[in-house]
Coordinates of all heavy atoms in Angstrom, one line a residue:
M1 N -22.2 15.3 -116.1 CA -20.8 15.4 -116.3 C -20.4 14.9 -117.7 O -20.9 13.8 -118.1 CB -20.0 14.6 -115.3 CG -18.5 14.7 -115.4 SD -17.6 13.6 -114.2 CE -18.2 14.2 -112.7
S2 N -19.6 15.6 -118.5 CA -19.3 15.1 -119.8 C -18.2 14.0 -119.7 O -17.6 13.8 -118.7 CB -18.7 16.3 -120.6 OG -17.5 16.7 -120.2
V3 N -18.0 13.4 -120.8 CA -17.0 12.3 -120.9 C -15.6 12.9 -120.6 O -14.8 12.4 -119.8 CB -17.0 11.6 -122.2 CG1 -15.8 10.7 -122.4 CG2 -18.3 10.8 -122.4
N4 N -15.3 14.1 -121.2 CA -14.0 14.7 -121.0 C -13.8 15.2 -119.6 O -12.7 15.0 -119.0 CB -13.9 15.9 -121.9 CG -13.6 15.5 -123.4 OD1 -13.2 14.4 -123.6 ND2 -13.9 16.4 -124.3
E5 N -14.9 15.6 -118.9 CA -14.8 16.0 -117.5 C -14.5 14.8 -116.6 O -13.8 14.8 -115.7 CB -16.1 16.7 -117.0 CG -16.3 18.1 -117.6 CD -17.6 18.7 -117.3 OE1 -18.6 17.9 -117.1 OE2 -17.8 19.9 -117.2
S6 N -15.2 13.7 -117.0 CA -15.0 12.4 -116.2 C -13.6 11.9 -116.4 O -12.9 11.5 -115.4 CB -16.0 11.4 -116.7 OG -15.9 10.2 -116.0
L7 N -13.1 11.9 -117.7 CA -11.7 11.5 -117.9 C -10.7 12.4 -117.2 O -9.7 11.9 -116.7 CB -11.4 11.5 -119.4 CG -12.1 10.4 -120.2 CD1 -11.8 10.6 -121.7 CD2 -11.7 9.0 -119.8
A8 N -11.0 13.6 -117.1 CA -10.0 14.6 -116.4 C -9.9 14.3 -115.0 O -8.9 14.7 -114.3 CB -10.5 16.0 -116.7
R9 N -10.8 13.5 -114.4 CA -10.7 13.2 -112.9 C -9.7 12.1 -112.7 O -9.3 11.9 -111.5 CB -12.0 12.8 -112.4 CG -13.0 14.0 -112.3 CD -14.3 13.5 -111.7 NE -15.2 14.7 -111.5 CZ -15.8 15.0 -110.4 NH1 -15.7 14.2 -109.4 NH2 -16.5 16.0 -110.3
N10 N -9.4 11.3 -113.7 CA -8.4 10.2 -113.5 C -7.0 10.7 -113.2 O -6.7 11.8 -113.6 CB -8.5 9.3 -114.7 CG -9.8 8.7 -115.0 OD1 -10.5 8.3 -114.0 ND2 -10.2 8.6 -116.2
C11 N -6.2 9.8 -112.6 CA -4.8 10.1 -112.4 C -4.0 9.2 -113.2 O -4.3 8.0 -113.3 CB -4.5 9.9 -110.9 SG -5.1 11.2 -109.8
Y12 N -3.0 9.7 -113.8 CA -2.1 8.9 -114.7 C -0.7 8.9 -114.1 O -0.2 9.9 -113.7 CB -2.1 9.5 -116.1 CG -3.4 9.5 -116.8 CD1 -4.3 10.6 -116.6 CD2 -3.9 8.4 -117.6 CE1 -5.5 10.6 -117.2 CE2 -5.1 8.4 -118.2 CZ -5.9 9.5 -118.0 OH -7.2 9.5 -118.6
H13 N -0.1 7.7 -114.1 CA 1.3 7.5 -113.7 C 2.0 6.8 -114.8 O 2.2 5.5 -114.7 CB 1.3 6.7 -112.4 CG 0.4 7.2 -111.3 ND1 0.7 8.3 -110.5 CD2 -0.9 6.8 -110.9 CE1 -0.3 8.5 -109.7 NE2 -1.3 7.6 -109.9
P14 N 2.4 7.5 -115.8 CA 3.0 6.8 -117.0 C 4.3 6.1 -116.7 O 5.1 6.5 -115.9 CB 3.3 8.0 -117.9 CG 2.5 9.2 -117.4 CD 2.4 9.0 -115.9
A15 N 4.4 4.9 -117.3 CA 5.6 4.1 -117.2 C 6.6 4.8 -118.1 O 6.3 5.7 -118.9 CB 5.4 2.7 -117.7
E16 N 7.9 4.4 -118.0 CA 8.9 5.0 -118.9 C 8.8 4.5 -120.3 O 9.2 5.2 -121.3 CB 10.3 4.6 -118.3 CG 10.6 5.4 -117.0 CD 12.0 5.1 -116.6 OE1 12.8 4.6 -117.3 OE2 12.2 5.4 -115.4
S17 N 8.3 3.3 -120.5 CA 8.2 2.8 -121.9 C 6.7 2.3 -122.1 O 6.0 2.0 -121.2 CB 9.2 1.7 -122.2 OG 9.0 0.6 -121.3
S18 N 6.4 2.2 -123.4 CA 5.0 1.9 -123.7 C 4.6 0.4 -123.5 O 5.5 -0.5 -123.7 CB 4.8 2.2 -125.2 OG 3.4 1.8 -125.6
H19 N 3.4 0.2 -123.0 CA 2.9 -1.2 -122.8 C 2.2 -1.7 -124.0 O 1.7 -2.8 -124.1 CB 2.0 -1.2 -121.6 CG 0.9 -0.3 -121.6 ND1 1.0 1.1 -121.5 CD2 -0.5 -0.5 -121.8 CE1 -0.2 1.6 -121.6 NE2 -1.1 0.7 -121.8
L20 N 2.1 -0.8 -125.1 CA 1.5 -1.2 -126.4 C 2.5 -1.0 -127.5 O 3.3 0.0 -127.5 CB 0.4 -0.2 -126.7 CG -0.7 0.1 -125.6 CD1 -1.5 1.3 -126.0 CD2 -1.5 -1.1 -125.3
T21 N 2.6 -2.0 -128.3 CA 3.5 -1.9 -129.5 C 2.8 -2.1 -130.8 O 2.1 -3.2 -130.9 CB 4.6 -3.0 -129.4 OG1 5.3 -2.8 -128.1 CG2 5.7 -2.8 -130.5
L22 N 2.8 -1.2 -131.7 CA 2.2 -1.3 -133.0 C 3.1 -2.1 -133.9 O 4.3 -2.0 -133.8 CB 1.9 0.1 -133.5 CG 0.9 0.9 -132.8 CD1 0.8 2.3 -133.4 CD2 -0.5 0.3 -132.9
R23 N 2.5 -2.8 -134.8 CA 3.2 -3.5 -135.9 C 3.7 -2.4 -136.9 O 3.1 -1.4 -137.1 CB 2.4 -4.5 -136.6 CG 2.0 -5.6 -135.7 CD 1.8 -6.9 -136.4 NE 1.4 -8.0 -135.5 CZ 2.3 -8.8 -134.8 NH1 3.6 -8.6 -135.0 NH2 1.8 -9.7 -134.0
E24 N 4.9 -2.7 -137.4 CA 5.5 -1.8 -138.4 C 4.7 -1.7 -139.7 O 4.7 -0.6 -140.3 CB 6.9 -2.2 -138.7 CG 7.9 -2.1 -137.6 CD 8.3 -0.7 -137.3 OE1 8.3 0.1 -138.2 OE2 8.5 -0.3 -136.1
S25 N 4.0 -2.8 -140.0 CA 3.4 -2.8 -141.3 C 1.9 -2.6 -141.2 O 1.1 -3.3 -141.8 CB 3.6 -4.2 -141.9 OG 3.2 -5.2 -141.0
L26 N 1.5 -1.6 -140.5 CA 0.0 -1.3 -140.4 C -0.5 -0.8 -141.8 O 0.1 0.0 -142.4 CB -0.2 -0.1 -139.4 CG -0.1 -0.5 -137.9 CD1 -0.4 0.8 -137.1 CD2 -1.1 -1.6 -137.6
S27 N -1.6 -1.4 -142.1 CA -2.3 -1.0 -143.4 C -3.0 0.3 -143.1 O -3.3 0.7 -141.9 CB -3.3 -2.0 -143.9 OG -4.4 -2.1 -143.0
E28 N -3.5 1.0 -144.2 CA -4.3 2.2 -144.0 C -5.6 1.9 -143.3 O -6.0 2.7 -142.4 CB -4.5 2.8 -145.4 CG -5.4 4.1 -145.3 CD -4.9 5.2 -144.4 OE1 -3.7 5.3 -144.3 OE2 -5.7 5.9 -143.8
E29 N -6.1 0.8 -143.6 CA -7.4 0.4 -142.9 C -7.2 0.2 -141.4 O -8.0 0.6 -140.6 CB -7.9 -0.9 -143.6 CG -9.2 -1.4 -143.1 CD -9.7 -2.7 -143.8 OE1 -8.9 -3.6 -143.9 OE2 -10.9 -2.7 -144.2
Q30 N -6.1 -0.5 -141.0 CA -5.8 -0.7 -139.6 C -5.5 0.6 -138.9 O -6.0 0.8 -137.8 CB -4.6 -1.7 -139.5 CG -4.9 -3.1 -139.9 CD -3.6 -3.9 -139.9 OE1 -2.6 -3.5 -140.4 NE2 -3.7 -5.1 -139.4
S31 N -4.8 1.5 -139.6 CA -4.5 2.8 -139.0 C -5.7 3.6 -138.7 O -5.9 4.1 -137.7 CB -3.5 3.6 -139.9 OG -2.3 2.9 -140.1
A32 N -6.6 3.6 -139.7 CA -7.9 4.3 -139.6 C -8.7 3.7 -138.5 O -9.4 4.5 -137.7 CB -8.6 4.4 -140.9
L33 N -8.7 2.4 -138.4 CA -9.5 1.7 -137.3 C -9.0 2.1 -135.9 O -9.8 2.4 -135.0 CB -9.4 0.2 -137.5 CG -10.2 -0.7 -136.6 CD1 -11.7 -0.4 -136.7 CD2 -9.9 -2.1 -136.8
L34 N -7.7 2.1 -135.8 CA -7.1 2.4 -134.5 C -7.5 3.9 -134.1 O -7.8 4.2 -132.9 CB -5.6 2.2 -134.5 CG -5.2 0.8 -134.5 CD1 -3.7 0.7 -134.8 CD2 -5.4 0.1 -133.1
E35 N -7.4 4.8 -135.1 CA -7.7 6.2 -134.8 C -9.2 6.3 -134.3 O -9.5 7.1 -133.5 CB -7.5 7.0 -136.0 CG -6.1 7.3 -136.4 CD -6.0 8.1 -137.6 OE1 -6.4 7.6 -138.7 OE2 -5.5 9.2 -137.5
K36 N -10.0 5.5 -134.9 CA -11.4 5.6 -134.6 C -11.9 4.9 -133.3 O -12.7 5.5 -132.6 CB -12.2 4.9 -135.8 CG -13.7 5.2 -135.8 CD -14.4 4.5 -136.9 CE -13.9 4.9 -138.3 NZ -14.6 4.2 -139.4
I37 N -11.3 3.8 -132.9 CA -11.8 3.0 -131.8 C -11.3 3.4 -130.4 O -12.0 3.1 -129.4 CB -11.5 1.5 -132.0 CG1 -10.0 1.2 -132.0 CG2 -12.3 1.0 -133.2 CD1 -9.7 -0.2 -132.1
C38 N -10.2 4.1 -130.3 CA -9.6 4.4 -129.0 C -10.5 5.5 -128.3 O -10.5 6.6 -128.8 CB -8.2 4.8 -129.1 SG -7.5 5.2 -127.4
P39 N -11.1 5.2 -127.2 CA -11.9 6.2 -126.6 C -11.2 7.4 -126.0 O -11.7 8.5 -125.8 CB -12.6 5.4 -125.4 CG -11.7 4.3 -125.1 CD -11.1 3.9 -126.4
A40 N -9.9 7.2 -125.9 CA -9.0 8.3 -125.4 C -8.3 9.0 -126.6 O -7.6 10.0 -126.3 CB -8.0 7.8 -124.4
G41 N -8.5 8.6 -127.8 CA -7.9 9.2 -128.9 C -6.4 9.2 -128.9 O -5.7 10.1 -129.3
L42 N -5.8 8.0 -128.5 CA -4.4 8.0 -128.3 C -3.6 7.6 -129.6 O -2.4 7.7 -129.7 CB -4.0 6.9 -127.2 CG -4.6 7.2 -125.9 CD1 -4.2 6.2 -124.9 CD2 -4.3 8.6 -125.4
F43 N -4.3 7.1 -130.6 CA -3.7 6.8 -131.9 C -3.8 8.0 -132.8 O -4.8 8.3 -133.2 CB -4.3 5.5 -132.5 CG -4.2 4.3 -131.7 CD1 -5.2 3.9 -130.8 CD2 -3.0 3.5 -131.7 CE1 -5.0 2.8 -130.0 CE2 -2.8 2.4 -130.9 CZ -3.9 2.0 -130.1
Q44 N -2.6 8.6 -133.1 CA -2.6 9.8 -133.9 C -1.4 9.7 -134.9 O -0.4 9.0 -134.6 CB -2.4 11.0 -133.0 CG -3.6 11.2 -132.0 CD -3.4 12.4 -131.1 OE1 -2.4 13.1 -131.2 NE2 -4.3 12.6 -130.2
R45 N -1.6 10.4 -136.0 CA -0.6 10.3 -137.0 C 0.5 11.4 -136.8 O 0.2 12.5 -136.3 CB -1.3 10.6 -138.4 CG -2.3 9.5 -138.7 CD -2.7 9.5 -140.1 NE -3.9 8.6 -140.2 CZ -3.8 7.5 -141.0 NH1 -2.8 7.2 -141.8 NH2 -4.9 6.7 -141.1
D46 N 1.7 11.0 -137.1 CA 2.8 11.9 -137.1 C 2.9 12.7 -138.4 O 2.1 12.5 -139.3 CB 4.1 11.2 -136.7 CG 4.6 10.2 -137.7 OD1 4.0 10.2 -138.8 OD2 5.5 9.4 -137.3
A47 N 4.0 13.4 -138.6 CA 4.2 14.3 -139.8 C 4.2 13.4 -141.0 O 3.9 13.9 -142.1 CB 5.4 15.1 -139.6
S48 N 4.7 12.2 -140.9 CA 4.8 11.3 -142.1 C 3.6 10.4 -142.2 O 3.6 9.5 -143.0 CB 6.0 10.4 -142.0 OG 6.0 9.6 -140.8
A49 N 2.5 10.7 -141.5 CA 1.2 10.1 -141.6 C 1.2 8.6 -141.0 O 0.3 7.9 -141.3 CB 0.7 10.0 -143.0
R50 N 2.3 8.3 -140.3 CA 2.3 7.0 -139.6 C 1.6 7.1 -138.3 O 1.7 8.1 -137.5 CB 3.7 6.6 -139.3 CG 4.5 6.1 -140.6 CD 5.9 5.6 -140.2 NE 5.9 4.6 -139.1 CZ 5.9 3.3 -139.3 NH1 6.0 2.9 -140.5 NH2 5.9 2.5 -138.3
V51 N 0.8 6.1 -137.9 CA 0.1 6.1 -136.6 C 1.0 5.8 -135.5 O 1.8 4.9 -135.5 CB -1.1 5.1 -136.7 CG1 -1.7 5.0 -135.3 CG2 -2.2 5.6 -137.6
K52 N 1.0 6.6 -134.5 CA 1.7 6.4 -133.2 C 0.7 6.3 -132.1 O -0.4 6.9 -132.1 CB 2.7 7.6 -133.0 CG 3.7 7.9 -134.1 CD 4.7 6.8 -134.2 CE 5.7 7.2 -135.3 NZ 6.6 6.1 -135.5
V53 N 1.1 5.7 -131.0 CA 0.3 5.6 -129.8 C 0.9 6.4 -128.7 O 2.1 6.3 -128.4 CB 0.0 4.1 -129.4 CG1 1.3 3.4 -129.1 CG2 -1.0 4.1 -128.2
H54 N 0.1 7.3 -128.1 CA 0.5 8.1 -127.0 C 0.1 7.3 -125.7 O -1.0 7.7 -125.1 CB -0.1 9.5 -127.1 CG 0.3 10.2 -128.3 ND1 1.5 10.9 -128.4 CD2 -0.2 10.3 -129.6 CE1 1.7 11.4 -129.6 NE2 0.6 11.0 -130.3
F55 N 0.9 6.3 -125.4 CA 0.5 5.4 -124.3 C 0.2 6.0 -123.0 O -0.5 5.4 -122.1 CB 1.5 4.3 -124.2 CG 2.8 4.7 -123.6 CD1 3.0 4.6 -122.3 CD2 3.8 5.3 -124.4 CE1 4.2 5.0 -121.7 CE2 5.0 5.7 -123.8 CZ 5.2 5.6 -122.5
Q56 N 0.8 7.2 -122.7 CA 0.7 7.8 -121.4 C -0.7 8.0 -120.9 O -1.0 8.0 -119.7 CB 1.5 9.1 -121.3 CG 3.0 8.9 -121.6 CD 3.4 9.0 -123.1 OE1 2.5 8.9 -123.9 NE2 4.6 9.2 -123.3
G57 N -1.7 8.2 -121.8 CA -3.0 8.4 -121.5 C -3.9 7.2 -121.6 O -5.2 7.4 -121.6
C58 N -3.4 6.1 -121.7 CA -4.1 4.8 -121.9 C -5.1 4.6 -120.7 O -4.8 4.7 -119.6 CB -3.2 3.6 -122.1 SG -4.1 2.1 -122.4
L59 N -6.4 4.2 -121.1 CA -7.4 3.9 -120.1 C -7.4 2.4 -119.8 O -8.2 2.0 -118.9 CB -8.8 4.2 -120.7 CG -9.0 5.7 -121.2 CD1 -10.3 5.8 -121.9 CD2 -8.9 6.6 -120.0
E60 N -6.5 1.6 -120.4 CA -6.4 0.2 -120.2 C -7.7 -0.5 -120.4 O -8.0 -1.5 -119.7 CB -5.8 -0.1 -118.8 CG -4.5 0.5 -118.6 CD -4.0 0.5 -117.1 OE1 -4.4 -0.4 -116.4 OE2 -3.2 1.4 -116.8
C61 N -8.5 0.0 -121.4 CA -9.8 -0.6 -121.7 C -9.7 -1.9 -122.6 O -10.6 -2.7 -122.5 CB -10.7 0.4 -122.3 SG -10.1 0.9 -124.0
G62 N -8.6 -2.0 -123.4 CA -8.4 -3.2 -124.2 C -9.2 -3.1 -125.5 O -9.2 -4.1 -126.3
C63 N -9.8 -2.0 -125.9 CA -10.6 -1.9 -127.1 C -9.7 -2.1 -128.3 O -10.1 -2.8 -129.3 CB -11.3 -0.5 -127.3 SG -12.6 -0.3 -126.1
C64 N -8.5 -1.5 -128.3 CA -7.6 -1.7 -129.5 C -7.2 -3.1 -129.6 O -7.2 -3.6 -130.8 CB -6.4 -0.8 -129.3 SG -5.5 -1.0 -127.8
R65 N -6.9 -3.8 -128.6 CA -6.5 -5.2 -128.6 C -7.7 -6.1 -129.1 O -7.5 -7.0 -130.0 CB -6.1 -5.7 -127.2 CG -5.6 -7.1 -127.2 CD -5.3 -7.5 -125.8 NE -4.6 -8.8 -125.8 CZ -4.4 -9.5 -124.7 NH1 -4.7 -9.0 -123.6 NH2 -3.7 -10.6 -124.8
L66 N -8.9 -5.8 -128.6 CA -10.1 -6.6 -128.9 C -10.5 -6.4 -130.4 O -10.8 -7.4 -131.1 CB -11.2 -6.2 -128.0 CG -12.5 -7.1 -128.1 CD1 -12.2 -8.5 -127.6 CD2 -13.6 -6.4 -127.3
I67 N -10.5 -5.2 -130.9 CA -11.0 -4.9 -132.2 C -9.9 -4.9 -133.3 O -10.1 -5.5 -134.3 CB -11.7 -3.5 -132.2 CG1 -12.9 -3.5 -131.2 CG2 -12.1 -3.1 -133.6 CD1 -13.5 -2.2 -131.0
A68 N -8.7 -4.4 -133.0 CA -7.7 -4.4 -134.1 C -6.9 -5.7 -134.0 O -6.4 -6.2 -135.1 CB -6.8 -3.2 -133.9
G69 N -6.7 -6.3 -132.8 CA -6.1 -7.6 -132.7 C -4.6 -7.6 -132.9 O -4.0 -6.6 -133.1
D70 N -4.1 -8.9 -132.9 CA -2.7 -9.1 -133.1 C -2.1 -8.7 -134.4 O -0.9 -8.5 -134.6 CB -2.4 -10.6 -132.8 CG -2.7 -11.0 -131.4 OD1 -2.8 -10.1 -130.5 OD2 -2.8 -12.2 -131.1
D71 N -3.0 -8.6 -135.4 CA -2.5 -8.1 -136.7 C -2.0 -6.7 -136.7 O -1.2 -6.3 -137.5 CB -3.6 -8.3 -137.8 CG -3.9 -9.7 -138.1 OD1 -3.1 -10.6 -137.8 OD2 -5.0 -10.0 -138.7
A72 N -2.6 -5.9 -135.8 CA -2.2 -4.5 -135.7 C -1.3 -4.2 -134.5 O -0.4 -3.3 -134.6 CB -3.4 -3.6 -135.6
L73 N -1.4 -5.0 -133.4 CA -0.7 -4.8 -132.2 C 0.3 -5.9 -132.0 O -0.1 -7.1 -131.9 CB -1.6 -4.7 -131.0 CG -2.4 -3.4 -131.0 CD1 -3.6 -3.6 -130.0 CD2 -1.6 -2.2 -130.6
A74 N 1.6 -5.6 -132.0 CA 2.6 -6.7 -131.7 C 2.6 -7.1 -130.3 O 2.9 -8.2 -129.9 CB 4.0 -6.2 -132.2
A75 N 2.2 -6.1 -129.4 CA 2.2 -6.4 -128.0 C 1.2 -5.5 -127.3 O 1.0 -4.3 -127.7 CB 3.6 -6.2 -127.4
W76 N 0.5 -6.1 -126.4 CA -0.5 -5.3 -125.5 C -0.4 -6.0 -124.2 O -0.5 -7.2 -124.0 CB -1.9 -5.4 -126.1 CG -2.9 -4.5 -125.4 CD1 -3.4 -3.3 -125.9 CD2 -3.5 -4.7 -124.1 NE1 -4.2 -2.8 -125.0 CE2 -4.3 -3.6 -123.9 CE3 -3.4 -5.6 -123.1 CZ2 -5.1 -3.4 -122.7 CZ3 -4.2 -5.5 -121.9 CH2 -5.0 -4.3 -121.8
G77 N -0.2 -5.1 -123.2 CA -0.2 -5.6 -121.8 C -0.5 -4.5 -120.9 O -0.7 -3.3 -121.3
Y78 N -0.7 -4.8 -119.6 CA -0.9 -3.7 -118.7 C 0.4 -3.1 -118.3 O 1.4 -3.7 -118.4 CB -1.6 -4.2 -117.4 CG -3.1 -4.6 -117.6 CD1 -3.4 -6.0 -117.7 CD2 -4.0 -3.7 -117.8 CE1 -4.7 -6.3 -118.0 CE2 -5.4 -4.0 -118.1 CZ -5.7 -5.4 -118.1 OH -7.0 -5.7 -118.4
P79 N 0.4 -1.8 -117.9 CA 1.6 -1.2 -117.5 C 2.2 -1.9 -116.2 O 1.5 -2.5 -115.5 CB 1.2 0.3 -117.2 CG -0.1 0.5 -117.9 CD -0.8 -0.9 -117.9
P80 N 3.5 -1.7 -116.0 CA 4.0 -2.3 -114.8 C 3.3 -1.8 -113.5 O 2.8 -0.7 -113.5 CB 5.5 -1.8 -114.8 CG 5.7 -1.2 -116.1 CD 4.4 -0.9 -116.7
S81 N 3.4 -2.6 -112.5 CA 2.8 -2.3 -111.2 C 3.2 -0.9 -110.7 O 4.4 -0.5 -110.8 CB 3.2 -3.3 -110.1 OG 2.6 -3.0 -108.9
G82 N 2.3 -0.1 -110.3 CA 2.5 1.3 -109.9 C 2.4 2.3 -111.0 O 2.5 3.5 -110.7
S83 N 2.3 1.8 -112.2 CA 2.1 2.7 -113.4 C 0.7 2.6 -113.9 O 0.0 1.7 -113.6 CB 3.1 2.3 -114.5 OG 4.4 2.4 -114.0
G84 N 0.4 3.5 -114.8 CA -0.9 3.4 -115.5 C -1.9 4.4 -114.9 O -1.6 5.3 -114.2
I85 N -3.2 4.0 -115.1 CA -4.3 4.9 -114.7 C -4.8 4.5 -113.4 O -4.9 3.3 -113.0 CB -5.4 4.9 -115.8 CG1 -6.4 5.9 -115.5 CG2 -6.0 3.5 -115.9 CD1 -7.4 6.1 -116.7
S86 N -5.2 5.5 -112.6 CA -6.0 5.3 -111.4 C -7.4 6.0 -111.7 O -7.5 7.2 -111.8 CB -5.4 6.0 -110.2 OG -4.1 5.4 -109.9
L87 N -8.4 5.1 -111.8 CA -9.7 5.6 -112.1 C -10.4 6.3 -110.9 O -10.3 5.8 -109.8 CB -10.6 4.5 -112.6 CG -10.1 3.8 -113.9 CD1 -11.0 2.6 -114.2 CD2 -10.3 4.8 -115.1
R88 N -11.0 7.4 -111.2 CA -11.7 8.2 -110.1 C -13.2 8.3 -110.5 O -13.4 8.7 -111.7 CB -11.1 9.6 -110.0 CG -9.7 9.6 -109.6 CD -9.5 9.4 -108.1 NE -8.1 9.2 -107.7 CZ -7.3 10.2 -107.4 NH1 -7.7 11.4 -107.5 NH2 -6.0 9.9 -107.1
F89 N -14.0 7.8 -109.7 CA -15.5 7.8 -110.0 C -16.2 9.0 -109.3 O -15.7 9.4 -108.2 CB -16.1 6.5 -109.7 CG -15.5 5.4 -110.5 CD1 -14.6 4.5 -109.9 CD2 -15.9 5.1 -111.8 CE1 -14.1 3.5 -110.6 CE2 -15.4 4.1 -112.5 CZ -14.5 3.3 -111.9
G90 N -17.3 9.4 -109.8 CA -18.1 10.3 -109.1 C -17.8 11.8 -109.4 O -16.9 12.1 -110.1
Ligands
SF4_101 S1 -6.3 0.1 -124.3 FE1 -8.1 1.5 -124.7 S2 -7.3 3.5 -124.1 FE2 -5.5 2.2 -124.2 S3 -4.8 2.6 -126.3 FE3 -6.1 0.8 -126.4 S4 -8.1 1.6 -127.0 FE4 -6.9 3.3 -126.3

């Protein structure tokens, strides 16, 4: 089974607002790092080349928090109870 096939088995229950908040003053290096490290590819640039996070598909793995840290993320938490990802194995 490929990674994409495995990810497609998960169920997502997105919250109304994001559980991740990016800092306004992201450097180019921080932006490029976020684009590279998220296993779900949720950090993407908008038309003005600013990085946005598409939190609805978050795997709640914490890679962005661990690697980019508080300098890039103003807030990181789990989604509210009943929201977020339900992992399906097998
Ligand atoms: S917690 Fe993981 S899946 Fe969610 S945005 Fe951060 S790196 Fe991506």
